[in-house]
Amino acid sequence: MHAKRLTASVCTVLLIISLVLSACGSSESSQKSGEQKLDKDQTLNLFFESPTTLDVNDVRNSSEFQLLTQVQEGLVRTYTDKNGKEKIEPAGAKSWKITDNGKVYTFKLRDYKWSDGKKVTAQNYVDSVIRLLDPKKAFAYAFFAYDIKNAEKYNAGKAKAGDVGVKALDDNTLQITLEKPTPQFNKKFGFVALFPIRLDVIKKGGETYATDYKAQVFSGPFIIKSWVKDNSLVLKKNPKYWDAKNVHLKTVNFKTVEETSTQASLFQSKQTDVIAGTQQYIKKWAAEAKQGKIQYIHGNTPLTSYIVFNQKTGGTSGLLKNAKIRQALSLAINRQDLVKLVFGRYRPAYGLIPNGIQVGDKDYRDDVAQPLKPLYDKYNGNKSELQRLFKEGLKELGVNKKLGDVTLTLITTGTDALSKSEQEYYQQEWEKNLGIKVKLNILESKLFVADRNANKYDLLLNGWFGDYNDPSTFVDMWTTNNGFSKFFGYYSSKKYDQLYQSLDGVTDDAQREKIYAALEKQLIAEDAGVAPIYYGDSQYFVQNYVKNISFPLFGTPIDFSRTYISGKQ
Amino acid sequence: MELTNISFKKYRGRRLDPDQLAGHSVTYWKDVWRRIRKNPTAVLSLAALMIILTLSVIGPIISGHDLSTINPKRANMNPSAENWFGTDNLGRDLFTRVWYGARASVIVALVCTLIQTVVGCLYGGIMAHFGGWVDEVMMRVIELITSMPTLLITILTMMVLGNGMTALLVAMSITSWCGTARLIRGQIMQLRESEYVLAAVALGASPFWVILRHLIPNTFGLLMLTIATSIPDYIFTEAGLSFLGIGLQPPNTSLGVLISIGQQTMDFFPIQLLFPALILCVLVLAFNLLGDGLRDALDPRLRQ
Amino acid sequence: MLSYSIRRFAEMILTLFIIATATFFLLAAVPGDPLTERVEKLPPQIRQNLYEKYGLNKPLLERYVITMRGLAVGNFGESIVYPGQTVQSILQEKLPASARLGIQQMVLGIGIGMILGIIAAMKKNTWLDYGIITLAILFISIPHLIFGLLLQKIFAGELGWFPVIGWPKGKDLWTGGWQYTILPTLAGCFSYIAAYSRLLKTSMLDVVNQEYILTAESKGLSKMHIVLKHVLRNSLIPVITNLPMSIAMCITGSFFIERIFSIPGVGMYYVLSVNERDLPLIMGQTVILSIIYIVVIFITDILYTVVDPRISIQGGRR
């Protein structure tokens, strides 16, 4: 039951999260409100997990992204069109220009107001960036602003707040200067952690600011009306919102519902308007969608799930430092069967970077073949070949052991039935194909952290949920001594590091794509530093009367700021 | 005439044949057994229990499938000649899994009950035997444990000990013995004051003999009852913990684990929930009904 | 009576002290703390700041003293996971739901249970008696979770007679929104039915054998009159003395039913705070739940002497 509290950026457990987090897709009807007749009752009912904070700088998991993007307004807002293509539209910013070879961003802000009537100023944005980077505050997403000049230094306590490259030129003009030209910043500045803040309100709110909705001021399309923690939350339309005339929903009800079958009952009886499909429900509802009873919105999600190998100590068995052994473990998993049997969704993964991630405006996966696929096809589940590979690894290590005497430990956190099926599947695949023994250790999340930090594992399950639409969000964390390496088995490779270095200052998209492909191949195929298992996807079912709803790839799972209800009665 | 200690002298002659003193307890048990046999529900539940226990031993053997082999081509099958209870989402034989799970559930319940009974009897016996401040202090300990929320203690114990069979057994029986100890203490104290024990002591029976011949048989009925009602409690607790993800680790399974898995697919494959849930219910029901029959049989007020 | 109450009060304080101590050290023995996941990606300096802020870097014994000092003055401290939330505010928010659910289950369950118990006793050893007792046992042999799910599936999902989830709030908190409460109440009332029907049956059979009932019978009073006037009244002692315990159990919430029907109650919250190692919250909830339990035991003891004059308080322990 714990996965829901984890961060969106580092999904320590993905399996459950992914159902909640999944994003992207298209709405059948795009922006054409006004053409259709609106119902009298403009209420939207959704599921959610209770957020832990209302502080935009402190944002960590998807339920917070979901809520904060709808009650606050950042520089831009992302909608999706019919084909699931994202469309970034100006929101808090009216327009912006990029100068100095991509190093300086200058934003013209819109005239818009907080819910207490005060104007949103450029200084509010500046305050937000500075507070996000404040070393004393220790916000998890501080690293996200590292592209900005002197940001990393300030966050490390090596520069002053005044040195950070963010300035309010006047009330309506915000200027951000980057450390060096970074093309992907273009896709990052709409991020929740960079939303404007009000220092006076935060100060007045004191210790309880982050969790007391009554202490907040809002700049977005909705305001929070009531909140019962871990149970329900109600939003009301914000009458002071700059585009209030295009916000049609009057009330949005969020409810926490634990059991999948209960969620299904609620959706089928139209007591809930949007649901993420799982397993058999997808088939059932997709058939209903074909008959036009409901809308089926599906697409990619920037998520790759991994099996992580302990390369720091070689694990409790001491074997995981060997590339051939890792390769054998990676190739022994039949991913196609897994996604079909266990999940009933997702795509088998033979690479690092999932579908839907773009370099510039081209899909990376359309251009680059998955590096593990040829190797996987070569072995094709052949037991004796896989076992030979594993034995070669043992020989290289000088370990004189029969396969039957090898025991590997897999630690995970998922305790629900779905995760259990997945874990048992891996266990069976390794035991069947490699003839080794695998011990499953399913732990409560804090115990998991303890075992992982003490290196009491050979294998663990993890995954990565991209933060912005560029492959760099997937390749960044594999460099030696990266802050994230303890979550991913301390992969370390000189070749990978060198390749990564060569990215520095490269702004040409084709050139970047080549380097990303080389990095991916090195990590997944050559070194088998991690085993990719599946790519996420989004499978949303929406009632017919819900119009103009967006499922962006990044940030919030659902954007309903311009949604309206038509034809429910 | 006033009776004082002086009025009686301890008998110092030849020891009497103890069986002459204790002859009655045998007929008492015969009577209990006779009345259980006359209670149709009790007999029926006894029979049901026997069948379930037998199947949980031989079920996995006769099914011809093993517990954990995944068969992608036979996922989510309905019951058939090949898989008598159908298969689960990974194509594993449910008949094997259900009986294997029933076995685990019963073993967990039995071992926990055993721990509870042994610890409870020892603790209660010591309390009753020593009395005085020992009794007072030991009673306070029980009161302390019972006033703490059980769920908290169970979960925390599991976290300290880690998941697995041993931890599960400890966590589930860590608080449950208190009731048994209290019961035994009360019963022994009551019996000690009873006329026939006084008579036996007066007739020169050794303390050992008194315990063996009088205290144990007379608390036995009560113990049987506690055992019969504790087992279903443990089966439930184990199932409940499975939902919280606490307990046995795969590939091991239990009825609780199977139910929590089946529950997720019940809209599509109700059979995967039905079989484990049905067996759990029958198992618990049989124990409960047997306990109820036993209660009636042991209750002198209901004697006809 | 006064000196007895004072002694009992002192004992209660001591018990609470030991419970708090035990909880504290048990929690300290469990790996992980409320900040474990939060500080994972943070630089050491910031990590240390956070630990300092919540006093988690202090030695165990010092933390123990601070916690106990807080408890002594009724200050349980703030949640670490939800900054700004206190034990008081959480209980204020969650206890009413759990309490209402528990009370409804109890009232319905005990009511039905007593009626069934009377019938079973009057028709002793008939098929009606066996039927009632067997039925009661049958229902407690179905796990709450499955029973709740079935009720929800059939009566809310398929038939649509009731809302699938939810709980009354605002002005409906205690007396309105009945349609929400019916299924959860039904799902949890059977343990009371089973327990109380059996309790009343045994106790009535006990009373029936007493001399004064024989006297009443020999006087030629009608059976109904005897049952209502004499038997029932005297059989209620075990029921009354069992009540406080049921009350103590019922308001602490039912995890599974709260989970299935998304009821904002304490049962579910308690499990969550244990998982999060939210020390102040766990300590606070444990102590408050224990206080409820201990006070209830105290009331039970007093009740015993009130309803049954043969038992005197000075007579020592039960």
Side-chain angles (χ1 to χ4, degrees), chain A residues 57-76:
Chain A
N57 296 139
D58 199 17
V59 68
R60 264 167 282 151
N61 63 43
S62 74
S63 58
E64 289 146 20
F65 283 85
Q66 174 67 74
L67 179 64
L68 291 172
T69 52
Q70 308 304 302
V71 297
Q72 305 291 2
E73 191 83 339
L75 291 168
V76 290

Side-chain angles (χ1 to χ4, degrees), chain C residues 27-101:
Chain C
L27 276 167
V30 178
D33 58 58
L35 299 175
T36 308
E37 287 122 332
R38 210 161 122 195
V39 301
E40 282 234 273
K41 296 171 295 286
L42 305 180
Q45 178 55 42
I46 294 157
R47 197 178 294 193
Q48 202 185 329
N49 290 348
L50 262 175
Y51 274 89
E52 264 165 30
K53 183 177 167 195
Y54 293 104
L56 289 170
N57 57 340
K58 296 201 176 79
L60 189 64
L61 281 177
E62 196 181 333
R63 265 162 54 206
Y64 170 69
V65 172
I66 293 171
T67 310
M68 294 308 271
R69 210 182 282 155
L71 289 185
V73 294
N75 173 17
F76 299 109
E78 243 181 59
S79 162
I80 296 175
V81 180
Y82 288 118
Q85 294 247 301
T86 62
V87 175
Q88 282 91 335
S89 72
I90 284 165
L91 287 183
Q92 241 167 38
E93 193 180 82
K94 310 266 179 189
L95 206 54
S98 285
R100 178 171 173 191
L101 174 62

